[in-house]
Amino acid sequence: MLRERRLHSEGAASALRSLKGRTVNYSLPPGRTPAREDGWHVDSLRRTLARERPGDPEPGGAWDIACRLVRDYQFPEPGILRALYRRDDALLGRNILLEGRFLGLRFDMGVRITSVTDDLRGTDDTAQRVWGWGYQTLQGHLEEGELHYQVIKYPRTGDVEFLITGYSRRAPIRNPVVRAGFILFGRMTQRRFYRASADRLHSLTRAELLGTPPTRPQPSPAGDSLVVVPGGSDAA
């Protein structure tokens, strides 16, 4: 409850507003892609969510539900990460204040959505209907990098899956205790976040397909269309 109240505070709203003046905290040489030999972690995780009828996505079906949950950023495991953003902001360019839990402490970390995907890829047996978005880390974040979340339907089979891809590395951290802790436990926590988030999206999607009320962001008392995620169900 303490973590929830903190993100609902005016202090958190102010921290979110401050992200407008921040820039992405890393750069890549022209034509260079992130590689492990340059210190980057390159990640990919797939999780099957459900199956629909073959063909286009069904209104109110698994792909539709999962896209809404990803759009609203409802899938992170709240024991690892919570977030604050302005729902009225366009998805592309939206700033998000992440509150991460690490070593029993809480850290504010800013990210900005810099890409949105809405594509039909391939043809016939290889066709994929893909929707999702990606963010990049901003100044002050504990990491440097980019992360993409995509919901994919395969029209031939009806399978719906969640795909997390990205690259990251530790940002310069001044505090020696935090730096040492991040070196020891940061990568482990990151991998746990990927697995837990994919499992949570799977559970939320399945629950809605079985009739559970939709999970929605929580409006913040600070107003200004601010919401805290993950939120609760409509019945909560």
Side-chain angles (χ1 to χ4, degrees), residues 64-211:
D64 202 23
I65 292 169
C67 284
R68 190 196 75 247
L69 292 167
V70 170
R71 181 199 67 211
D72 292 347
Y73 205 36
Q74 289 282 39
F75 58 88
E77 168 52 49
I80 302 174
L81 190 74
R82 293 180 66 83
L84 176 74
Y85 63 85
R86 290 185 70 253
R87 195 167 192 176
D88 286 352
D89 287 345
L91 185 60
L92 184 61
R94 175 182 291 171
N95 292 320
I96 304 176
L97 180 69
L98 306 179
E99 185 191 68
R101 175 177 286 182
F102 180 66
L103 294 178
L105 303 173
R106 294 188 300 272
F107 298 92
D108 288 344
M109 301 174 289
V111 299
R112 180 172 299 135
I113 295 178
T114 53
S115 64
V116 176
T117 301
D118 189 1
D119 293 332
L120 180 61
R121 301 174 182 172
T123 59
D124 300 326
D125 288 351
T126 65
Q128 300 178 26
R129 182 71 172 86
V130 184
W131 187 90
W133 51 269
Y135 67 61
Q136 290 179 280
T137 54
L138 302 178
Q139 294 168 326
H141 200 293
L142 293 177
E143 292 182 305
E144 301 173 342
E146 186 171 1
L147 202 56
H148 292 264
Y149 303 112
Q150 296 180 339
V151 182
I152 302 171
K153 177 171 181 178
Y154 297 88
R156 184 180 69 82
T157 64
D159 288 338
V160 177
E161 71 177 17
F162 182 43
L163 174 63
I164 301 175
T165 58
Y167 57 88
S168 63
R169 65 185 178 190
R170 177 172 53 86
I173 301 173
R174 293 183 179 180
N175 186 306
V177 175
V178 175
R179 183 170 62 249
F182 199 85
I183 291 172
L184 291 173
F185 303 109
R187 182 62 174 159
M188 178 180 66
T189 302
Q190 184 182 52
R191 287 172 168 164
R192 184 163 63 92
F193 170 75
Y194 294 155
R195 293 191 300 269
S197 294
D199 288 345
R200 177 176 164 83
L201 183 61
H202 173 267
S203 297
L204 291 175
T205 302
R206 295 275 183 153
E208 285 197 35
L209 288 172
L210 293 174

